């Protein structure tokens, strides 16, 4: 199988897959290949923080022309995967001088499938771009072609908790990857002093509690496959045995009240209000936190961000960190070298990352008192051995300038590159199609598409935790006597699965119906 991700996050994704129990994990470019069974396929979609989508290859071949693509695709016995009543869609990613347009490749794949059915049955399956029963992914790198089943459907970065957004929001997968790179797993308080819509805050809470990011998601593509094992996925979905207690707190601040309100709305939708506090505050007023903390933030940068005195903002960040965050680690993602220069601090590590098509850097600053010379003379070090090794690889992106040019030709950096994937011919087991009449999607309320999620809530719709008392400013006061429990994630009520299988609807803030929801019941 293949898990796709952003450039720079491949090692983080590989580690996640290894921890899930995947075998033969191999890192490629914007992808990680691995082996596993159906349960691992489900868990990869549900539990991975840094995957964009998970693909299951069904054929690998070489093609020099569009006609050869057509012929090779037509050799596949598509009755294993589709019926005449099945709708499907084809997405293509192309890195080739011969095949210059991804949509043209998609059309050739579609034509081969449709023609095969028409010749055998006199009928053809239909295309559905919006909500197909089966999604196919075609990847072309020069003359190497890989055709896969897309088990995810909508990109996995769309967790389901985001209600509103701000200008240039941070992608959820990138945010999770940044946090995992820091090594933070909830051991201290977490601060984002420029939190925007709150993505880093929510992803930090999920990581701290070891919660699956898929808990909010409405549906996966594999749920429409004919060999979908509902009982297996129910067990995975409802298993919270690996979740852990989080005894610290997460703070988000922004000087824009609109961003603050947006972040609060998203935090509430995720059901994490007990773990996250969001307040209006300017970073220039930042004071030393009362508890040990880590800072991870994504300040304004790039051509699309309209921020007056951008360089002055970065100079202020460096000044505040130097004077008010001693003995702490601050991680900053930015784009322009001149912005980093204004911080005026020496980073201990620089990690290249792509934010969309922007080649950014994620830098760690270990804040200490005095000058570097005195700090080192007293035995201090701003770098670990691992960080020195990573810094030695700083130029690895520069070897791929042609790749960067190709990225610039794409709309975004979401799709992964599979050109380094070594295809193994494997018996994937039972085919996607069972010999039974009817089309997929004719599922009634008893088929269990709505699932229950363990839900420990009070009658008043709040978690069973005490409110944090004391100062709610930068860092706040340590809350005492907070019993752990999932509690009523009141805010998450539109995203869970109903134990009774009720088929409710989900509405946006203006009351517009936008589809079925999974909900949490209140009777536990």
């Amino acid at each position: 199988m293949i898990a796709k991700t952003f450039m720079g996050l491949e090692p983080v994704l590989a580690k996640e897959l290894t921890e899930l129990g995947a075998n033969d994990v191999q890192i490629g470019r914007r992808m990680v290949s691995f082996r596993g069974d159906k349960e691992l396929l489900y868990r990869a979609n549900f539990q991975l923080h840094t995957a964009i989508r998970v693909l299951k290859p069904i054929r690998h071949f070489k093609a020099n022309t569009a006609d050869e693509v057509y012929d090779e695709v037509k050799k596949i016995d598509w009755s294993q995967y589709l019926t005449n009543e099945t709708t499907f869609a084809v997405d293509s990613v192309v890195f080739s001088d011969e095949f210059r347009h991804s949509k043209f490749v998609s059309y050739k794949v579609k034509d081969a499938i449709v023609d095969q059915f028409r010749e055998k049955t006199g009928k053809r399956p239909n295309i559905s771009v919006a909500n197909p029963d089966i999604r196919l992914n075609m990847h072309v790198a020069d003359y190497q072609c890989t055709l896969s089943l897309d088990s995810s459907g909508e990109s996995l970065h769309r967790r389901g908790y985001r209600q509103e957004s701000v200008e240039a929001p941070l992608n959820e997968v990138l945010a999770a990857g940044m946090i995992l790179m820091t090594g933070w797993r909830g051991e201290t308080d977490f601060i984002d002093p420029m939190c925007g819509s709150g993505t880093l805050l929510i992803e930090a809470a999920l990581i701290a509690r070891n919660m699956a990011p898929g808990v909010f998601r409405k549906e996966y593509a594999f749920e429409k496959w004919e060999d979908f094992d509902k009982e297996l996925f129910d067990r995975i979905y409802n298993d919270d045995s690996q979740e852990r207690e989080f005894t610290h707190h997460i703070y988000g601040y922004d000087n824009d009240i609109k961003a603050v309100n947006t972040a609060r709305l998203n935090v509430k939708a995720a059901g994490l209000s007990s773990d996250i506090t969001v307040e209006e505050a300017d970073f220039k007023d930042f004071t030393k936190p009362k508890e040990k903390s880590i800072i991870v933030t994504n300040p304004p940068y790039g051509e699309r961000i309209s921020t007056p005195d951008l360089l002055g903002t970065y100079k202020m960040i460096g000044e505040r960190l130097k004077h008010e965050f001693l003995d702490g680690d601050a991680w900053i993602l930015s784009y322009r070298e001149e912005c980093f220069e204004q911080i005026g601090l020496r980073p201990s590590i620089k990690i290249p990352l792509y934010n969309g098509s922007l080649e950014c850097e994620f830098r760690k600053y270990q804040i200490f008192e005095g000058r570097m010379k005195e700090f080192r003379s007293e035995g201090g070090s701003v770098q670990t051995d691992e960080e020195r090794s990573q810094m030695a690889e700083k130029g690895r992106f520069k070897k791929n300038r042609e790749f960067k040019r190709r990225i610039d030709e794409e709309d975004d950096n979401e799709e992964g590159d599979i050109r380094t994937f070594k295809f193994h011919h494997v018996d994937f087991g039972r085919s996607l199609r069972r010999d039974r009449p009817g089309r997929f999607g004719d599922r009634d309320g008893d088929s269990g598409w709505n699932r229950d999620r363990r839900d420990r809530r009070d009658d008043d719709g709040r978690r069973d935790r005490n409110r944090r008392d004391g100062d709610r400013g930068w860092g706040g006061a340590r809350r005492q006597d907070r019993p752990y429990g999932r509690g009523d994630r009141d805010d998450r009520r539109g995203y869970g699965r109903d134990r009774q299988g009720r088929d409710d609807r989900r509405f946006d803030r203006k009351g517009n119906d936008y589809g079925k929801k999974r909900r949490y019941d209140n009777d536990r």
Side-chain angles (χ1 to χ4, degrees):
M1 291 177 278
I2 296 168
K4 301 171 75 172
T5 189
F6 289 113
M7 187 77 163
L9 296 185
E10 301 94 339
V12 183
L13 177 57
K15 183 176 180 181
E16 281 198 278
L17 282 164
T18 301
E19 292 172 350
L20 274 185
N23 297 315
D24 195 19
V25 176
Q26 297 184 22
I27 294 176
R29 184 178 295 166
R30 292 192 290 165
M31 52 77 67
V32 178
S33 65
F34 63 100
R35 291 175 179 266
D37 55 13
K38 183 184 293 186
E39 179 176 352
L40 186 63
L41 175 71
Y42 293 175
R43 288 191 179 277
N45 278 281
F46 185 65
Q47 293 179 227
L48 290 176
H49 294 268
T50 54
I52 293 172
R53 62 182 68 251
V54 180
L55 304 177
K56 180 178 176 180
I58 56 178
R59 187 171 178 82
H60 181 74
F61 57 89
K62 291 184 179 180
N64 295 308
T65 66
D67 289 338
E68 289 183 11
V69 170
Y70 175 91
D71 293 338
E72 290 294 332
V73 173
K74 201 172 180 182
K75 291 178 182 178
I76 301 171
D77 181 6
W78 286 104
S79 64
Q80 297 181 65
Y81 310 107
L82 307 172
T83 69
N84 284 326
E85 289 76 29
T86 304
T87 60
F88 73 99
V90 183
D91 296 318
S92 296
V93 182
V94 177
F95 299 100
S96 171
D97 293 331
E98 177 66 30
F99 307 101
R100 296 183 178 272
H101 300 287
S102 59
K103 287 186 178 180
F104 177 67
V105 175
S106 297
Y107 289 145
K108 299 302 290 186
V109 174
K110 182 266 296 181
D111 288 345
I113 297 172
V114 167
D115 289 350
Q116 183 186 103
F117 273 93
R118 186 181 285 119
E119 291 170 5
K120 289 183 177 181
T121 68
K123 298 180 180 179
R124 52 155 289 176
N126 292 320
I127 303 295
S128 174
V129 177
N131 190 30
D133 296 322
I134 296 293
R135 292 180 182 269
L136 299 171
N137 181 278
M138 182 67 168
H139 187 278
V140 181
D142 295 325
Y143 304 110
Q144 302 292 330
C145 305
T146 303
L147 185 58
S148 306
L149 292 165
D150 183 349
S151 68
S152 304
E154 191 175 35
S155 174
L156 295 176
H157 85 273
R158 300 184 183 276
R159 311 289 203 215
Y161 59 71
R162 190 190 292 274
Q163 302 296 290
E164 291 186 0
S165 187
V166 295
E167 184 182 9
L170 192 63
N171 181 286
E172 291 86 340
V173 163
L174 179 58
M178 289 165 55
I179 296 166
L180 291 173
M181 281 180 174
T182 70
W184 182 86
R185 299 297 184 273
E187 303 85 353
T188 65
D189 285 356
F190 182 100
I191 300 174
D192 181 359
M194 297 179 169
C195 68
S197 59
T199 306
L200 278 167
L201 308 177
I202 297 171
E203 294 298 324
L206 296 179
I207 290 170
R209 289 200 169 279
N210 200 30
M211 287 176 57
V215 70
F216 311 102
R217 192 173 168 100
K218 180 183 174 183
E219 189 177 61
Y220 297 94
F222 64 75
E223 294 187 70
K224 291 185 177 182
W225 292 1
E226 283 293 319
D227 70 339
F228 172 58
D229 190 334
K230 171 187 170 297
E231 182 178 349
L232 173 61
F233 187 48
D234 278 346
R235 187 169 72 250
I236 293 171
Y237 189 95
N238 289 297
D239 180 14
D240 61 357
S241 61
Q242 298 302 310
E243 293 185 15
R244 56 179 174 250
E245 182 178 2
F246 177 48
T247 58
H248 298 279
H249 202 69
I250 296 169
Y251 297 92
Y253 304 95
D254 204 286
N255 62 0
D256 183 351
I257 189 59
K258 181 181 178 181
V260 170
N261 290 333
T262 297
R264 286 172 176 169
L265 183 66
N266 293 334
V267 168
K268 185 177 181 182
L272 296 167
S273 299
S274 297
D275 294 326
I276 302 172
T277 298
V278 185
E279 294 183 352
E280 182 182 8
D282 197 313
F283 199 1
K284 65 182 177 60
D285 300 320
F286 179 81
T287 57
K288 184 174 178 62
K290 293 180 171 58
E291 302 293 340
K292 178 69 175 177
S293 305
I294 183 175
I295 287 179
V296 182
T297 193
N298 175 40
Y301 58 84
E303 293 81 355
R304 293 180 299 162
I305 305 295
S306 53
T307 302
D309 192 18
L310 186 63
L311 297 182
T313 298
Y314 279 81
K315 185 175 181 180
M316 175 271 294
I317 291 173
E319 186 271 333
R320 287 289 87 192
L321 292 177
K322 183 66 176 177
H323 291 90
E324 298 292 344
F325 201 59
L326 293 177
D327 302 321
D329 292 339
W331 292 76
I332 298 175
L333 178 73
S334 192
Y335 168 56
R336 296 178 176 175
E337 182 65 32
E338 58 266 33
C339 292
F340 281 122
E341 290 175 354
Q342 290 300 314
I343 293 177
L345 301 174
R346 180 174 178 176
S348 58
I349 186 170
K350 304 174 185 178
I351 303 174
L353 285 176
Y354 275 99
N355 186 3
S357 61
L358 296 178
E359 187 176 359
C360 301
E361 281 192 344
F362 189 40
R363 297 190 178 186
K364 175 187 176 182
Y365 297 91
Q366 183 181 346
I367 313 302
F368 55 88
E369 190 171 6
R371 296 181 176 274
M372 176 69 75
K373 185 176 181 179
E374 288 80 9
F375 178 70
R376 284 179 169 171
S377 66
E378 295 174 1
S381 175
V382 296
Q383 283 185 325
T384 64
D385 292 339
E386 182 180 358
E387 289 170 348
R388 289 191 186 95
S389 175
Q390 287 181 295
M391 283 289 279
E393 300 177 14
K394 179 179 180 294
R396 69 184 188 274
F397 272 27
K398 295 181 181 179
K399 300 175 183 178
N400 300 309
R401 290 306 178 188
E402 181 183 0
F403 167 70
K404 186 177 186 302
R405 176 184 61 79
R406 289 173 173 175
I407 287 179
D408 292 339
E409 295 172 357
E410 299 292 327
D411 291 335
D412 54 45
N413 188 34
E414 179 174 314
E415 296 298 339
D417 190 341
I418 316 176
R419 73 186 72 189
T420 55
F421 173 70
K422 295 181 180 179
F423 184 85
H424 304 280
H425 181 71
V426 184
D427 180 5
F428 288 115
R430 183 170 51 175
S431 71
L432 292 182
R433 176 176 166 267
R434 292 199 189 111
D435 296 327
R436 67 181 189 186
R439 57 179 293 176
F440 320 5
D442 291 346
R443 323 236 194 245
D444 53 28
D446 294 329
S447 63
W449 292 99
N450 291 328
R451 289 180 238 292
D452 67 298
R453 177 69 176 170
R454 295 184 184 178
D455 176 22
R456 306 171 207 145
R457 298 190 290 183
D458 295 332
D459 293 336
D460 63 354
R462 294 182 180 274
R463 280 188 177 186
D464 184 18
R465 296 191 178 186
N466 299 326
R467 299 287 294 174
R468 179 180 294 265
D469 50 17
D471 180 15
R472 296 293 293 278
W474 293 100
R478 178 60 56 88
R479 178 170 35 169
Q480 303 295 332
D481 302 322
R482 296 183 295 169
Y484 173 65
R486 185 180 294 272
D488 182 344
R489 292 185 181 155
D490 168 34
D491 351 356
R492 204 198 277 176
R493 197 170 306 175
Y495 300 88
R497 305 192 183 195
D498 184 12
R499 182 172 295 280
Q500 280 75 32
R502 291 187 290 260
D503 184 9
D504 295 317
R505 307 293 291 179
R506 190 167 56 174
F507 297 87
D508 63 18
R509 298 183 71 205
K510 297 181 179 179
N512 298 317
D513 182 355
Y514 62 102
K516 293 181 180 179
K517 70 176 184 178
R518 288 172 173 162
R519 53 171 292 179
Y520 287 68
D521 54 18
N522 284 322
D523 50 11
R524 285 185 66 93

